[in-house]
Amino acid sequence: MKLAKLEAITLKIPFDDLYDGPRAKRRGWTEFDTLLVRVEDAEGNVGWGEAFAYSCAGAVRAALLDMVAPLVLGREIQDIPTLNRELQLALHIWGRYGITIFALSGLDIALWDLQAKRAGLSLARHLGGRNREQVPAYASLVRYAGAAQITTMIQRARTEGYTDIKLHEIDPLVIEAARAAGPDLRLTVDVNCAWSLGEAETLLARLRPLNLHWVEEPIFPPEDYDTHQALARFGVPLAAGENACTAFEFRRLIPALAYPQPSVTKIGGISEFLATLDLAEAAGKSAMPHSPYFGPGYWATLQLAANRPSIGLFEFLYVQPAAWLAPDIPLPRQGQIQIPDRPGIGFTPNPAILEQYRVN
């Protein structure tokens, strides 16, 4: 396929975090920064991708248009993983990870979408087979920072059929209140690197009786493999990986974790995600992808889950956007998401929504 056009579309979409009572702290995060990547081949076929863009959309867009696009426009593309690695080599002088890989992730997803569409297959079938029709999802709650608030939100999620819930809480009192509100739930906690080593050691020992499914990124830096491995002595399963880029990083990270967590919009796209799944499967571990977004990254993760049953749970960010980019987005029902079986990743945005929330 010959790449004729590449466009980067920046969006800002407000969302509601679903809690309308008194708050323990002021709400901080209110909008999604989304960067869509649209590619078009010489025959007019279109592919869609998404680059991670939370609070960095301008920088990622600049990297995509100024650094990546000149290297791919006009090229005949057949082997996407080989192209991905070639671009990583060409761009490594500006940093192996972060903004550069976010930009490459968006392109890579768009190219796989385009290639599968040209083949007339869903991405899962294009990758070798559709091995399941649905994937279990967990409700990934934003941080509410209060016991009363988290109790309310857990009760709400339970009424919608969720049996798996993730907290983004760092206070052990709030985490303990969550467990009391859902003693039968499979509960996970994402700390977002907030604890010091001493705090992690103290709190993991305290939280062990809560029977948490995993604790995610308990310390900083998240790529401190040796410390993650050492913390396993507390008997609490650990997860990490949303901030790891490329399968090379996961080769070092996977042995230290119970659950590796690649993020398709950050790791280097579908190519690096697949390579990471190979590593996780070889180690006998189930991946728990990071997917708190609702654009092509969401749809691509679903297709990867259809193709690779080793993916355990799908992360559904438990919020309500002001608008869905694609009106037919498959949402969780009783804790399960039905996976589309349309060509490519299945994503087709509503042009009116793009126009309404487009930045500049």
Side-chain angles (χ1 to χ4, degrees):
M1 54 189 180
K2 186 173 184 178
L3 196 60
K5 296 180 182 178
L6 188 156
E7 184 180 5
I9 303 169
T10 306
L11 307 169
K12 193 175 285 288
I13 301 177
F15 70 89
D16 183 355
D17 68 4
L18 304 177
Y19 183 76
D20 57 7
R23 294 181 178 265
K25 66 166 189 141
R26 181 180 177 185
R27 185 181 169 201
W29 190 24
T30 61
E31 296 176 308
F32 290 123
D33 295 308
T34 301
L35 184 63
L36 300 182
V37 181
R38 182 186 183 277
V39 297
E40 187 174 328
D41 68 14
E43 289 79 43
N45 300 299
V46 172
W48 289 95
E50 180 179 359
F52 187 79
Y54 291 175
S55 300
C56 61
V60 179
R61 184 176 187 274
L64 184 68
L65 296 180
D66 296 345
M67 295 159 51
V68 178
L71 299 177
V72 296
L73 283 172
R75 289 188 56 169
E76 293 280 355
I77 299 169
Q78 292 183 337
D79 189 326
I80 300 172
T82 297
L83 174 67
N84 189 310
R85 185 169 178 81
E86 176 189 327
L87 293 174
Q88 289 184 43
L89 175 61
L91 300 172
H92 78 277
I93 192 172
W94 292 289
R96 283 274 291 137
Y97 303 142
I99 300 299
T100 304
I101 288 291
F102 298 171
L104 287 179
S105 297
L107 173 67
D108 187 271
I109 295 168
L111 291 177
W112 278 106
D113 182 39
L114 176 58
Q115 190 179 76
K117 284 176 177 173
R118 286 169 57 97
L121 298 170
S122 67
L123 178 64
R125 296 189 188 279
H126 183 58
L127 293 173
R130 179 179 169 92
N131 294 303
R132 58 178 162 185
E133 302 300 312
Q134 61 184 18
V135 61
Y138 66 86
S140 185
L141 311 185
V142 301
R143 185 174 298 173
Y144 295 97
Q149 291 78 13
I150 206 68
T151 296
T152 297
M153 295 308 299
I154 283 180
Q155 291 171 344
R156 173 172 179 151
R158 291 187 68 178
T159 64
E160 296 179 9
Y162 287 99
T163 58
D164 289 87
I165 293 179
K166 179 195 278 186
L167 314 178
H168 285 83
E169 306 293 340
I170 59 176
D171 184 338
L173 292 174
V174 179
I175 299 169
E176 288 164 348
R179 172 50 84 203
D184 55 335
L185 293 173
R186 195 157 59 169
L187 198 63
T188 65
V189 178
D190 185 354
V191 180
N192 291 123
C193 305
W195 294 338
S196 68
L197 177 57
E199 288 171 330
E201 291 174 330
T202 298
L203 293 173
L204 286 174
R206 175 174 173 175
L207 297 175
R208 181 178 178 179
L210 301 186
N211 191 31
L212 299 174
H213 193 39
W214 73 70
V215 169
E216 186 173 333
E217 289 192 336
I219 58 162
F220 182 84
E223 67 272 18
D224 186 343
Y225 319 112
D226 293 339
T227 299
H228 275 90
Q229 206 150 26
L231 289 173
R233 71 186 187 276
F234 292 99
V236 179
L238 299 181
E242 70 175 79
N243 291 306
C245 297
T246 77
F248 183 83
E249 281 294 289
F250 275 94
R251 186 179 296 119
R252 297 186 286 181
L253 185 58
I254 286 171
L257 301 173
Y259 299 107
Q261 296 180 296
S263 178
V264 74
T265 67
K266 303 176 82 173
I267 192 175
I270 290 166
S271 298
E272 291 288 349
F273 195 108
L274 288 169
T276 296
L277 288 181
D278 289 340
L279 295 173
E281 290 168 4
K285 296 184 178 182
S286 177
M288 301 291 183
H290 173 262
S291 56
Y293 25 69
F294 297 108
Y298 182 102
W299 295 72
T301 304
L302 286 176
Q303 289 297 315
L304 289 161
N307 175 250
R308 304 291 279 267
S310 63
I311 289 176
L313 296 169
F314 184 93
E315 179 179 19
F316 179 81
L317 189 60
Y318 194 64
V319 300
Q320 179 66 50
W324 301 110
L325 290 174
D328 57 350
I329 184 171
L331 299 174
R333 296 287 183 266
Q334 296 298 309
Q336 298 282 335
I337 302 180
Q338 296 295 318
I339 304 172
D341 193 20
R342 299 195 296 272
I345 61 174
F347 172 82
T348 302
N350 181 338
I353 298 301
L354 296 188
E355 190 63 30
Q356 181 176 357
Y357 293 102
R358 190 166 184 159
V359 178
N360 297 328

mmCIF file of all heavy atoms in Angstrom, residues 198-230:
data_model
loop_
_atom_site.group_PDB
_atom_site.id
_atom_site.type_symbol
_atom_site.label_atom_id
_atom_site.label_comp_id
_atom_site.label_asym_id
_atom_site.label_seq_id
_atom_site.Cartn_x
_atom_site.Cartn_y
_atom_site.Cartn_z
ATOM 1 N N GLY A 198 9.471 3.114 51.113
ATOM 2 C CA GLY A 198 9.063 2.812 52.478
ATOM 3 C C GLY A 198 7.557 2.710 52.612
ATOM 4 O O GLY A 198 7.042 1.813 53.297
ATOM 5 N N GLU A 199 6.843 3.630 51.972
ATOM 6 C CA GLU A 199 5.376 3.581 52.008
ATOM 7 C C GLU A 199 4.863 2.319 51.325
ATOM 8 O O GLU A 199 3.926 1.669 51.817
ATOM 9 C CB GLU A 199 4.802 4.822 51.317
ATOM 10 C CG GLU A 199 4.976 6.103 52.108
ATOM 11 C CD GLU A 199 4.590 7.336 51.314
ATOM 12 O OE1 GLU A 199 4.736 7.314 50.071
ATOM 13 O OE2 GLU A 199 4.144 8.312 51.930
ATOM 14 N N ALA A 200 5.469 1.961 50.197
ATOM 15 C CA ALA A 200 5.032 0.768 49.485
ATOM 16 C C ALA A 200 5.214 -0.480 50.352
ATOM 17 O O ALA A 200 4.328 -1.340 50.414
ATOM 18 C CB ALA A 200 5.806 0.618 48.176
ATOM 19 N N GLU A 201 6.333 -0.570 51.027
ATOM 20 C CA GLU A 201 6.580 -1.736 51.881
ATOM 21 C C GLU A 201 5.566 -1.797 53.024
ATOM 22 O O GLU A 201 5.014 -2.866 53.334
ATOM 23 C CB GLU A 201 8.003 -1.678 52.425
ATOM 24 C CG GLU A 201 9.057 -1.895 51.341
ATOM 25 C CD GLU A 201 10.468 -1.686 51.848
ATOM 26 O OE1 GLU A 201 10.657 -0.871 52.778
ATOM 27 O OE2 GLU A 201 11.388 -2.328 51.322
ATOM 28 N N THR A 202 5.295 -0.646 53.629
ATOM 29 C CA THR A 202 4.327 -0.617 54.737
ATOM 30 C C THR A 202 2.923 -0.915 54.258
ATOM 31 O O THR A 202 2.183 -1.713 54.864
ATOM 32 C CB THR A 202 4.358 0.756 55.425
ATOM 33 O OG1 THR A 202 5.669 0.978 55.970
ATOM 34 C CG2 THR A 202 3.335 0.838 56.542
ATOM 35 N N LEU A 203 2.536 -0.301 53.142
ATOM 36 C CA LEU A 203 1.149 -0.403 52.688
ATOM 37 C C LEU A 203 0.856 -1.740 52.015
ATOM 38 O O LEU A 203 -0.264 -2.260 52.133
ATOM 39 C CB LEU A 203 0.825 0.760 51.757
ATOM 40 C CG LEU A 203 0.813 2.130 52.470
ATOM 41 C CD1 LEU A 203 0.646 3.253 51.461
ATOM 42 C CD2 LEU A 203 -0.298 2.178 53.511
ATOM 43 N N LEU A 204 1.812 -2.312 51.325
ATOM 44 C CA LEU A 204 1.569 -3.628 50.739
ATOM 45 C C LEU A 204 1.338 -4.664 51.835
ATOM 46 O O LEU A 204 0.470 -5.546 51.700
ATOM 47 C CB LEU A 204 2.738 -4.042 49.844
ATOM 48 C CG LEU A 204 2.825 -3.306 48.499
ATOM 49 C CD1 LEU A 204 4.096 -3.682 47.762
ATOM 50 C CD2 LEU A 204 1.606 -3.597 47.626
ATOM 51 N N ALA A 205 2.084 -4.557 52.923
ATOM 52 C CA ALA A 205 1.852 -5.466 54.056
ATOM 53 C C ALA A 205 0.467 -5.232 54.658
ATOM 54 O O ALA A 205 -0.241 -6.186 55.012
ATOM 55 C CB ALA A 205 2.941 -5.260 55.110
ATOM 56 N N ARG A 206 0.060 -3.970 54.745
ATOM 57 C CA ARG A 206 -1.249 -3.647 55.307
ATOM 58 C C ARG A 206 -2.383 -4.106 54.392
ATOM 59 O O ARG A 206 -3.443 -4.562 54.869
ATOM 60 C CB ARG A 206 -1.341 -2.141 55.546
ATOM 61 C CG ARG A 206 -2.703 -1.662 56.025
ATOM 62 C CD ARG A 206 -2.662 -0.200 56.381
ATOM 63 N NE ARG A 206 -3.990 0.324 56.694
ATOM 64 C CZ ARG A 206 -4.228 1.570 57.140
ATOM 65 N NH1 ARG A 206 -3.209 2.386 57.360
ATOM 66 N NH2 ARG A 206 -5.464 1.963 57.377
ATOM 67 N N LEU A 207 -2.180 -4.004 53.084
ATOM 68 C CA LEU A 207 -3.252 -4.309 52.136
ATOM 69 C C LEU A 207 -3.338 -5.794 51.776
ATOM 70 O O LEU A 207 -4.327 -6.225 51.173
ATOM 71 C CB LEU A 207 -3.050 -3.493 50.848
ATOM 72 C CG LEU A 207 -3.123 -1.961 50.991
ATOM 73 C CD1 LEU A 207 -2.796 -1.301 49.668
ATOM 74 C CD2 LEU A 207 -4.484 -1.513 51.508
ATOM 75 N N ARG A 208 -2.360 -6.558 52.134
ATOM 76 C CA ARG A 208 -2.366 -7.974 51.755
ATOM 77 C C ARG A 208 -3.650 -8.697 52.174
ATOM 78 O O ARG A 208 -4.199 -9.480 51.383
ATOM 79 C CB ARG A 208 -1.139 -8.679 52.340
ATOM 80 C CG ARG A 208 -1.069 -10.148 51.952
ATOM 81 C CD ARG A 208 0.172 -10.818 52.481
ATOM 82 N NE ARG A 208 0.198 -12.233 52.136
ATOM 83 C CZ ARG A 208 1.176 -13.057 52.452
ATOM 84 N NH1 ARG A 208 2.228 -12.610 53.128
ATOM 85 N NH2 ARG A 208 1.116 -14.322 52.105
ATOM 86 N N PRO A 209 -4.191 -8.466 53.378
ATOM 87 C CA PRO A 209 -5.425 -9.178 53.766
ATOM 88 C C PRO A 209 -6.642 -8.827 52.909
ATOM 89 O O PRO A 209 -7.660 -9.530 52.974
ATOM 90 C CB PRO A 209 -5.636 -8.745 55.225
ATOM 91 C CG PRO A 209 -4.286 -8.313 55.704
ATOM 92 C CD PRO A 209 -3.639 -7.704 54.505
ATOM 93 N N LEU A 210 -6.554 -7.749 52.100
ATOM 94 C CA LEU A 210 -7.697 -7.347 51.278
ATOM 95 C C LEU A 210 -7.850 -8.211 50.030
ATOM 96 O O LEU A 210 -8.828 -8.059 49.291
ATOM 97 C CB LEU A 210 -7.568 -5.877 50.869
ATOM 98 C CG LEU A 210 -7.481 -4.846 51.997
ATOM 99 C CD1 LEU A 210 -7.498 -3.435 51.419
ATOM 100 C CD2 LEU A 210 -8.609 -5.034 53.002
ATOM 101 N N ASN A 211 -6.867 -9.077 49.771
ATOM 102 C CA ASN A 211 -6.942 -9.986 48.626
ATOM 103 C C ASN A 211 -7.132 -9.209 47.317
ATOM 104 O O ASN A 211 -8.032 -9.497 46.514
ATOM 105 C CB ASN A 211 -8.072 -11.006 48.809
ATOM 106 C CG ASN A 211 -8.025 -12.125 47.776
ATOM 107 O OD1 ASN A 211 -6.943 -12.498 47.319
ATOM 108 N ND2 ASN A 211 -9.184 -12.643 47.403
ATOM 109 N N LEU A 212 -6.279 -8.224 47.092
ATOM 110 C CA LEU A 212 -6.339 -7.437 45.861
ATOM 111 C C LEU A 212 -5.855 -8.266 44.678
ATOM 112 O O LEU A 212 -4.906 -9.048 44.792
ATOM 113 C CB LEU A 212 -5.478 -6.176 46.006
ATOM 114 C CG LEU A 212 -5.900 -5.206 47.115
ATOM 115 C CD1 LEU A 212 -4.883 -4.087 47.251
ATOM 116 C CD2 LEU A 212 -7.288 -4.639 46.850
ATOM 117 N N HIS A 213 -6.511 -8.070 43.537
ATOM 118 C CA HIS A 213 -6.109 -8.809 42.326
ATOM 119 C C HIS A 213 -4.722 -8.356 41.879
ATOM 120 O O HIS A 213 -3.921 -9.171 41.423
ATOM 121 C CB HIS A 213 -7.144 -8.586 41.228
ATOM 122 C CG HIS A 213 -6.993 -9.517 40.068
ATOM 123 N ND1 HIS A 213 -6.657 -10.842 40.201
ATOM 124 C CD2 HIS A 213 -7.140 -9.313 38.723
ATOM 125 C CE1 HIS A 213 -6.592 -11.408 39.005
ATOM 126 N NE2 HIS A 213 -6.879 -10.509 38.102
ATOM 127 N N TRP A 214 -4.466 -7.056 41.949
ATOM 128 C CA TRP A 214 -3.111 -6.536 41.762
ATOM 129 C C TRP A 214 -3.029 -5.121 42.313
ATOM 130 O O TRP A 214 -4.045 -4.441 42.488
ATOM 131 C CB TRP A 214 -2.662 -6.578 40.300
ATOM 132 C CG TRP A 214 -3.291 -5.575 39.358
ATOM 133 C CD1 TRP A 214 -3.095 -4.229 39.318
ATOM 134 C CD2 TRP A 214 -4.193 -5.859 38.274
ATOM 135 N NE1 TRP A 214 -3.816 -3.648 38.298
ATOM 136 C CE2 TRP A 214 -4.485 -4.628 37.636
ATOM 137 C CE3 TRP A 214 -4.754 -7.036 37.762
ATOM 138 C CZ2 TRP A 214 -5.338 -4.543 36.539
ATOM 139 C CZ3 TRP A 214 -5.596 -6.947 36.671
ATOM 140 C CH2 TRP A 214 -5.886 -5.712 36.065
ATOM 141 N N VAL A 215 -1.800 -4.672 42.580
ATOM 142 C CA VAL A 215 -1.495 -3.272 42.853
ATOM 143 C C VAL A 215 -0.594 -2.802 41.717
ATOM 144 O O VAL A 215 0.407 -3.446 41.386
ATOM 145 C CB VAL A 215 -0.808 -3.081 44.212
ATOM 146 C CG1 VAL A 215 -0.272 -1.653 44.350
ATOM 147 C CG2 VAL A 215 -1.787 -3.384 45.344
ATOM 148 N N GLU A 216 -0.960 -1.679 41.134
ATOM 149 C CA GLU A 216 -0.332 -1.198 39.899
ATOM 150 C C GLU A 216 0.574 -0.002 40.158
ATOM 151 O O GLU A 216 0.182 0.943 40.842
ATOM 152 C CB GLU A 216 -1.459 -0.824 38.930
ATOM 153 C CG GLU A 216 -1.044 -0.433 37.550
ATOM 154 C CD GLU A 216 -2.261 -0.266 36.646
ATOM 155 O OE1 GLU A 216 -3.305 -0.922 36.916
ATOM 156 O OE2 GLU A 216 -2.185 0.524 35.695
ATOM 157 N N GLU A 217 1.789 -0.078 39.598
ATOM 158 C CA GLU A 217 2.771 1.000 39.696
ATOM 159 C C GLU A 217 2.860 1.582 41.107
ATOM 160 O O GLU A 217 2.587 2.769 41.327
ATOM 161 C CB GLU A 217 2.453 2.105 38.685
ATOM 162 C CG GLU A 217 2.732 1.688 37.249
ATOM 163 C CD GLU A 217 2.711 2.856 36.276
ATOM 164 O OE1 GLU A 217 2.076 3.890 36.560
ATOM 165 O OE2 GLU A 217 3.338 2.730 35.213
ATOM 166 N N PRO A 218 3.267 0.776 42.092
ATOM 167 C CA PRO A 218 3.308 1.280 43.465
ATOM 168 C C PRO A 218 4.404 2.300 43.729
ATOM 169 O O PRO A 218 4.293 3.087 44.661
ATOM 170 C CB PRO A 218 3.535 0.009 44.294
ATOM 171 C CG PRO A 218 4.222 -0.928 43.351
ATOM 172 C CD PRO A 218 3.633 -0.646 41.998
ATOM 173 N N ILE A 219 5.462 2.306 42.904
ATOM 174 C CA ILE A 219 6.610 3.165 43.193
ATOM 175 C C ILE A 219 7.067 3.918 41.946
ATOM 176 O O ILE A 219 6.675 3.590 40.826
ATOM 177 C CB ILE A 219 7.798 2.344 43.738
ATOM 178 C CG1 ILE A 219 8.183 1.260 42.709
ATOM 179 C CG2 ILE A 219 7.478 1.733 45.099
ATOM 180 C CD1 ILE A 219 9.540 0.677 42.898
ATOM 181 N N PHE A 220 7.921 4.911 42.188
ATOM 182 C CA PHE A 220 8.596 5.635 41.104
ATOM 183 C C PHE A 220 10.088 5.360 41.193
ATOM 184 O O PHE A 220 10.646 5.346 42.285
ATOM 185 C CB PHE A 220 8.338 7.142 41.224
ATOM 186 C CG PHE A 220 8.968 7.940 40.113
ATOM 187 C CD1 PHE A 220 8.302 8.084 38.901
ATOM 188 C CD2 PHE A 220 10.220 8.511 40.267
ATOM 189 C CE1 PHE A 220 8.889 8.808 37.869
ATOM 190 C CE2 PHE A 220 10.803 9.228 39.233
ATOM 191 C CZ PHE A 220 10.125 9.374 38.028
ATOM 192 N N PRO A 221 10.758 5.130 40.041
ATOM 193 C CA PRO A 221 10.206 5.112 38.687
ATOM 194 C C PRO A 221 9.547 3.778 38.358
ATOM 195 O O PRO A 221 9.932 2.742 38.908
ATOM 196 C CB PRO A 221 11.437 5.352 37.813
ATOM 197 C CG PRO A 221 12.576 4.788 38.585
ATOM 198 C CD PRO A 221 12.254 5.049 40.033
ATOM 199 N N PRO A 222 8.580 3.795 37.461
ATOM 200 C CA PRO A 222 7.838 2.566 37.159
ATOM 201 C C PRO A 222 8.689 1.511 36.463
ATOM 202 O O PRO A 222 8.293 0.354 36.419
ATOM 203 C CB PRO A 222 6.693 3.054 36.258
ATOM 204 C CG PRO A 222 7.195 4.321 35.653
ATOM 205 C CD PRO A 222 8.054 4.952 36.704
ATOM 206 N N GLU A 223 9.856 1.908 35.934
ATOM 207 C CA GLU A 223 10.732 0.937 35.278
ATOM 208 C C GLU A 223 11.817 0.409 36.221
ATOM 209 O O GLU A 223 12.820 -0.168 35.772
ATOM 210 C CB GLU A 223 11.370 1.545 34.020
ATOM 211 C CG GLU A 223 12.348 2.684 34.268
ATOM 212 C CD GLU A 223 11.687 4.043 34.331
ATOM 213 O OE1 GLU A 223 10.445 4.113 34.526
ATOM 214 O OE2 GLU A 223 12.404 5.048 34.196
ATOM 215 N N ASP A 224 11.630 0.598 37.531
ATOM 216 C CA ASP A 224 12.560 0.050 38.511
ATOM 217 C C ASP A 224 12.249 -1.443 38.684
ATOM 218 O O ASP A 224 11.540 -1.859 39.597
ATOM 219 C CB ASP A 224 12.422 0.802 39.844
ATOM 220 C CG ASP A 224 13.464 0.381 40.867
ATOM 221 O OD1 ASP A 224 14.080 -0.691 40.680
ATOM 222 O OD2 ASP A 224 13.656 1.103 41.853
ATOM 223 N N TYR A 225 12.787 -2.235 37.788
ATOM 224 C CA TYR A 225 12.447 -3.646 37.729
ATOM 225 C C TYR A 225 12.863 -4.383 38.996
ATOM 226 O O TYR A 225 12.121 -5.219 39.519
ATOM 227 C CB TYR A 225 13.103 -4.296 36.508
ATOM 228 C CG TYR A 225 13.041 -3.442 35.271
ATOM 229 C CD1 TYR A 225 14.190 -2.885 34.721
ATOM 230 C CD2 TYR A 225 11.812 -3.159 34.664
ATOM 231 C CE1 TYR A 225 14.128 -2.092 33.587
ATOM 232 C CE2 TYR A 225 11.738 -2.367 33.535
ATOM 233 C CZ TYR A 225 12.904 -1.827 33.001
ATOM 234 O OH TYR A 225 12.832 -1.036 31.894
ATOM 235 N N ASP A 226 14.061 -4.093 39.479
ATOM 236 C CA ASP A 226 14.569 -4.819 40.640
ATOM 237 C C ASP A 226 13.703 -4.585 41.872
ATOM 238 O O ASP A 226 13.421 -5.519 42.633
ATOM 239 C CB ASP A 226 16.011 -4.395 40.925
ATOM 240 C CG ASP A 226 16.969 -4.834 39.819
ATOM 241 O OD1 ASP A 226 16.617 -5.767 39.074
ATOM 242 O OD2 ASP A 226 18.054 -4.235 39.706
ATOM 243 N N THR A 227 13.256 -3.332 42.067
ATOM 244 C CA THR A 227 12.435 -3.039 43.245
ATOM 245 C C THR A 227 11.057 -3.675 43.127
ATOM 246 O O THR A 227 10.512 -4.189 44.105
ATOM 247 C CB THR A 227 12.313 -1.517 43.448
ATOM 248 O OG1 THR A 227 13.630 -0.980 43.665
ATOM 249 C CG2 THR A 227 11.445 -1.196 44.645
ATOM 250 N N HIS A 228 10.481 -3.657 41.932
ATOM 251 C CA HIS A 228 9.206 -4.340 41.745
ATOM 252 C C HIS A 228 9.338 -5.826 42.100
ATOM 253 O O HIS A 228 8.471 -6.401 42.763
ATOM 254 C CB HIS A 228 8.718 -4.201 40.296
ATOM 255 C CG HIS A 228 7.957 -2.944 40.030
ATOM 256 N ND1 HIS A 228 8.570 -1.789 39.616
ATOM 257 C CD2 HIS A 228 6.635 -2.656 40.139
ATOM 258 C CE1 HIS A 228 7.648 -0.840 39.463
ATOM 259 N NE2 HIS A 228 6.478 -1.337 39.776
ATOM 260 N N GLN A 229 10.424 -6.422 41.662
ATOM 261 C CA GLN A 229 10.616 -7.834 41.939
ATOM 262 C C GLN A 229 10.786 -8.075 43.441
ATOM 263 O O GLN A 229 10.251 -9.035 43.996
ATOM 264 C CB GLN A 229 11.842 -8.349 41.182
ATOM 265 C CG GLN A 229 11.804 -9.821 40.866
ATOM 266 C CD GLN A 229 12.561 -10.154 39.593
ATOM 267 O OE1 GLN A 229 13.482 -9.439 39.195
ATOM 268 N NE2 GLN A 229 12.184 -11.240 38.935
ATOM 269 N N ALA A 230 11.497 -7.153 44.110
ATOM 270 C CA ALA A 230 11.702 -7.292 45.546
ATOM 271 C C ALA A 230 10.394 -7.131 46.323
ATOM 272 O O ALA A 230 10.186 -7.785 47.350
ATOM 273 C CB ALA A 230 12.734 -6.274 46.023
#
